[in-house]
Amino acid sequence: MNRGHASRANLMPGTLGIAAATAFLILFLSVESQAGTAVLLLGGAVFVLGAARFGGIARMRQSFTGNEGAMNLVVVAAALLLTGFFYDDHFTLLLVATVMIYMVAALGLTVQFGYAGVLNFAGAAFFGIGCYTAAVLTRNTALPHVLVLLAGGVMAALIGALLLLPVLRTRGHYSAVVTIAFTLLFKTFLEVNDTLGGPQGLRVDGMNLFGWRFNDNIEIGETLELSFFANYVVGSLILLALAFAFVRRLERSWTGLNMDAVRLDETAAACFGYNISRWKITAFTVGNFLAGLAGAIYAMMLGFIAPTNFTFGDSLILVSIVLLGGIGNPWGIAVATTIVIVLPEKLQIIQEYRFLLYASMVILILLFRPLGLLPRPLRSYVPGWQPK
Amino acid sequence: MNGTAETLLAARGLTKRFGGVVALEDLELEVRRNQVLGLIGPNGSGKTTFFNVVTGIYAADGGEVTFGRDTITNLSAQAVYRAGIARTFQRSRLMLELSIFDNIMVGNHRRLNQGLWFNLARRRAFRREFQDGFEQARELVRVFDPPLADRMFEAVGGFPMIDRRRIEICRALISHPQLLLLDEPSAGMTHEETTQLMDDILEVRSTFEGLTIIIIEHEMGVIERITNRCVVLNFGRKICEGTYQEVAADRLVQEAYLGIE
């Protein structure tokens, strides 16, 4: 009784924080003028710094660790609320869904880079493999779209297997170079390959899950019509929730420990029986699968894909999301993806210079907050568990 | 059978070269079950190289190593660990950003269920294994330092050197190896801390029946106190062997250590 009460009180800071963040995002996404956007940004930054200064962020963190299930629901509810607010706004809903899809891909990168220490600068390429798989399968086969999604992930994982040998044989920065080469090759390959549309790209069918047609607007009664992108928001949210839960479980198991050990000290790990390659392969494959999965839904949402979506620059965006958010912390991914994807869309001044912006953000973070905006907490294997 | 007579680990003619440098030359060495063997010698005499060759970090250039009835020469580090040999490192190689518990569980790798399905899907079974692992790890840490056992989920990086040494030894012991290799456990500690750690090691030995130890150490007090026998290396060769008293009285040893002509 007493304990239940305590944990309910504890929910407040987290819920308030999410409510404030949601309200802020709604404002930020609705404001039209550039000046208004800038003012909001500044205000938001001051608010967050102030909250951090007075221990607000720490208390929010406690809410999340103390009542994980409840807080997860609060976040999902907030996302749905935001979607409801922009129910007929194509552009904003597309943006919201894009953010969620990028989160899935960034979660994949976290497993590779944040846990097992396998640097992957080909995130956009594996995302692209998912996209092209979806394009080819939806246009040329009658495969149910659930399987198309899975196929996107599986293809990315399989093609990633080609890179395994060089990635495993090299260490640290050298394996990063291997993946950079792969991204460049991938884009060139797409541009010269006429069956895959060459530089013009390919059309992709809209998603249809068990008769739920994602590209139809949703009509409720006579007067209310929701943008069809709301379907994709919900679809991506489901995918994101699954990916999030999966990555969480992975971290909270011996598998997560193994990946950490392999990242931190290969020699010590080998002296305790670790098959180093096994855990790197697992992380690399799992990560590419998530990126490919994200790519498949992204392609079906956009309806059209071209090689220019999958450049080295896009891979860098994924890496900067992971660095910015807090390496290995899924909640950090959520915050960082929102910042990195939404900011340039709203602040047009930045658009042209966005790579400059990402680069400077990453440098600042590495200099002043090397563990990221939301540093990863120590592993707790069973949430809420206390030693007796 | 007389337990003390049985050889657990033996090196025969073990040789390791790095380019022109001979780190181990034709080394003959034996440790019997349930004993503590001290490995001493000046810096660069091949002590740590011996550990690295035994544990599969370096490949030997000649000779063989047997463990119990098996030949383990040039097995991989992983296979040596699975055979029942665990070690600590001269420069403590803990994973500083992980918790004490995480670090100790790294040492328990061979006894934990590493299946992906088990880890991701069978959470109830995982929870039981986690609970068991936690109890064992905490028991073990308690032998060393009871207050430390209440801080199992704090990052290792926040603890002083003596605690890190303790944790490292716990990591090596958690999987119940037959042979423990301690590489200079007193490095970086004060005299008092060293004495304390040796008390701990002696106590652990009484809890782990049949544990055999090879210890590399520069502190002669430690060697005198905890070893049954000593082997002295110089330039990769064994120059003397016997009890601490015998070894300390040996003229060659005095020359190697003190430069007496």
Side-chain angles (χ1 to χ4, degrees):
Chain A
M1 185 72 199
N2 208 354
R3 240 185 103 217
H5 194 75
S7 71
R8 222 172 299 141
N10 195 16
L11 265 175
M12 281 311 286
T15 315
L16 281 178
I18 294 300
T22 315
F24 178 79
L25 269 177
I26 288 178
L27 259 179
F28 189 75
L29 289 170
S30 346
V31 77
E32 301 277 342
S33 79
Q34 293 291 295
T37 310
V39 168
L40 266 179
L41 259 185
L42 222 69
V46 169
F47 182 80
V48 170
L49 286 177
R53 180 81 183 73
F54 294 105
I57 304 287
R59 244 171 277 158
M60 265 187 77
R61 203 170 246 243
Q62 276 169 11
S63 293
F64 272 84
T65 44
N67 318 269
E68 216 163 67
M71 284 317 297
N72 290 346
L73 287 180
V74 169
V75 172
V76 170
L80 291 175
L81 196 79
L82 186 95
T83 313
F85 192 87
F86 294 105
Y87 68 97
D88 60 350
D89 181 344
H90 287 320
F91 172 76
T92 306
L93 289 186
L94 170 64
L95 186 58
V96 171
T98 304
V99 168
M100 289 177 179
I101 291 169
Y102 264 80
M103 283 181 196
V104 175
L107 281 172
L109 237 68
T110 296
V111 173
Q112 301 176 330
F113 174 43
Y115 298 161
V118 180
L119 276 167
N120 182 359
F121 283 99
F126 292 109
F127 190 81
I129 291 169
C131 289
Y132 273 87
T133 307
V136 169
L137 289 180
T138 55
R139 299 295 284 184
N140 302 315
T141 68
L143 201 65
H145 288 180
V146 191
L147 296 183
V148 171
L149 283 179
L150 283 177
V154 170
M155 270 308 275
L158 281 180
I159 295 179
L162 293 178
L163 283 192
L164 277 175
L165 211 61
V167 164
L168 290 175
R169 288 184 61 137
T170 49
R171 278 192 188 192
H173 309 309
Y174 297 102
S175 89
V177 173
V178 172
T179 61
I180 291 174
F182 181 72
T183 333
L184 301 177
L185 277 176
F186 179 71
K187 188 174 170 253
T188 317
F189 169 76
L190 291 177
E191 279 170 349
V192 299
N193 191 317
D194 286 332
T195 14
L196 292 177
Q200 273 77 43
L202 285 180
R203 293 180 50 78
V204 194
D205 283 353
M207 190 154 75
N208 179 346
L209 284 187
F210 311 110
W212 172 16
R213 294 158 61 85
F214 278 60
N215 279 35
D216 292 351
N217 286 352
I218 310 161
E219 285 172 39
I220 300 173
E222 297 269 302
T223 48
L224 199 61
E225 190 171 344
L226 309 190
S227 156
F228 73 92
F229 281 116
N231 291 314
Y232 284 104
V233 172
V234 174
S236 330
L237 183 61
I238 293 172
L239 220 60
L240 174 60
L242 290 174
F244 196 94
F246 172 78
V247 171
R248 266 274 133 110
R249 274 199 177 187
L250 186 91
E251 196 230 344
R252 292 169 168 175
S253 68
W254 306 136
T255 311
L257 172 63
N258 295 342
M259 289 180 183
D260 278 332
V262 164
R263 179 186 81 246
L264 291 168
D265 192 336
E266 282 189 22
T267 307
C271 284
F272 292 103
Y274 281 73
N275 180 344
I276 309 289
S277 303
R278 177 181 168 188
W279 303 112
K280 284 190 175 177
I281 291 172
T282 307
F284 197 62
T285 306
V286 162
N288 291 337
F289 176 83
L290 287 177
L293 192 71
I297 190 173
Y298 186 69
M300 290 194 268
M301 177 173 79
L302 284 192
F304 176 77
I305 48 164
T308 44
N309 302 26
F310 314 112
T311 60
F312 179 52
D314 297 288
S315 293
L316 284 183
I317 292 181
L318 283 172
V319 173
S320 46
I321 288 174
V322 175
L323 286 174
L324 197 66
I327 301 165
N329 183 359
W331 287 116
I333 296 284
V335 173
T337 314
T338 312
I339 295 175
V340 168
I341 305 293
V342 173
L343 213 56
E345 292 296 336
K346 290 302 288 185
L347 266 185
Q348 264 111 43
I349 301 174
I350 293 177
Q351 272 283 11
E352 298 237 340
Y353 302 103
R354 59 197 180 116
F355 285 113
L356 186 69
L357 174 84
Y358 297 145
S360 37
M361 275 203 293
V362 167
I363 290 172
L364 286 177
I365 278 285
L366 290 179
L367 274 179
F368 296 108
R369 218 180 146 82
L371 295 177
L373 292 174
L374 290 177
R376 173 181 173 191
L378 283 175
R379 188 191 331 277
S380 79
Y381 290 86
V382 181
W385 179 88
Q386 292 288 335
K388 279 183 258 82
Chain B
M1 202 205 291
N2 185 349
T4 52
E6 192 191 343
T7 300
L8 181 61
L9 183 95
R12 307 252 171 263
L14 199 61
T15 303
K16 174 71 199 170
R17 291 182 213 96
F18 296 104
V21 180
V22 184
L24 292 176
E25 193 177 356
D26 229 356
L27 182 68
E28 303 281 323
L29 189 149
E30 247 186 55
V31 58
R32 294 182 206 127
R33 209 178 274 279
N34 218 353
Q35 288 218 328
V36 180
L37 177 76
L39 202 52
I40 53 184
N43 285 327
S45 59
K47 307 182 296 292
T48 297
T49 304
F50 173 68
F51 275 13
N52 285 340
V53 170
V54 168
T55 55
I57 292 181
Y58 298 151
D61 292 314
E64 65 164 19
V65 183
T66 56
F67 183 62
R69 286 180 194 157
D70 306 317
T71 305
I72 60 162
T73 329
N74 296 346
L75 286 188
S76 66
Q78 287 85 351
V80 171
Y81 162 78
R82 280 194 299 273
I85 300 179
R87 68 174 291 181
T88 67
F89 297 87
Q90 190 172 7
R91 292 199 186 89
S92 146
R93 291 191 91 123
L94 288 169
M95 293 149 192
L96 298 184
E97 55 190 84
L98 301 185
S99 66
I100 298 185
F101 175 73
D102 277 359
N103 270 285
I104 296 179
M105 282 302 117
V106 165
N108 214 10
H109 191 72
R110 68 178 167 137
R111 302 200 310 162
L112 299 175
N113 189 336
Q114 302 297 354
L116 266 188
W117 183 250
F118 169 84
N119 275 276
L120 292 173
R122 300 188 50 216
R123 289 305 281 184
R124 222 175 260 191
F126 174 81
R127 203 191 154 120
R128 274 197 299 276
E129 193 170 276
F130 162 72
Q131 183 78 35
D132 286 349
F134 173 74
E135 305 290 348
Q136 288 171 27
R138 187 168 59 175
E139 268 327 295
L140 188 56
V141 174
R142 258 198 197 127
V143 175
F144 283 84
D145 190 42
L148 205 57
D150 296 328
R151 303 173 64 185
M152 297 289 282
F153 291 95
E154 290 177 33
V156 165
F159 289 94
M161 197 42 119
I162 180 164
D163 286 336
R164 293 189 192 178
R165 294 281 179 204
R166 288 167 165 153
I167 297 162
E168 216 189 348
I169 296 172
C170 289
R171 175 174 75 176
L173 283 175
I174 187 78
S175 65
H176 291 268
Q178 297 182 59
L179 175 64
L180 174 64
L181 307 179
L182 296 174
D183 196 347
E184 231 185 292
S186 78
M189 297 201 302
T190 64
H191 189 71
E192 285 69 34
E193 286 174 332
T194 306
T195 315
Q196 220 177 336
L197 188 68
M198 291 310 136
D199 291 341
D200 296 339
I201 292 176
L202 287 173
E203 191 175 338
V204 166
R205 243 172 73 72
S206 62
T207 18
F208 278 76
E209 216 163 302
L211 178 66
T212 312
I213 298 178
I214 304 181
I215 180 172
I216 294 178
E217 196 40 85
H218 283 302
E219 289 260 344
M220 288 306 135
V222 170
I223 291 289
E224 181 172 17
R225 187 157 158 235
I226 79 168
T227 62
N228 305 98
R229 243 162 26 91
C230 292
V231 166
V232 189
L233 300 186
N234 197 18
F235 296 113
R237 275 190 249 177
K238 181 167 79 178
I239 56 169
C240 181
E241 182 173 8
T243 63
Y244 173 77
Q245 278 74 20
E246 289 164 5
V247 164
D250 189 275
R251 202 176 148 65
L252 274 174
V253 175
Q254 289 175 358
E255 270 177 29
Y257 259 104
L258 306 168
I260 296 170
E261 290 292 316

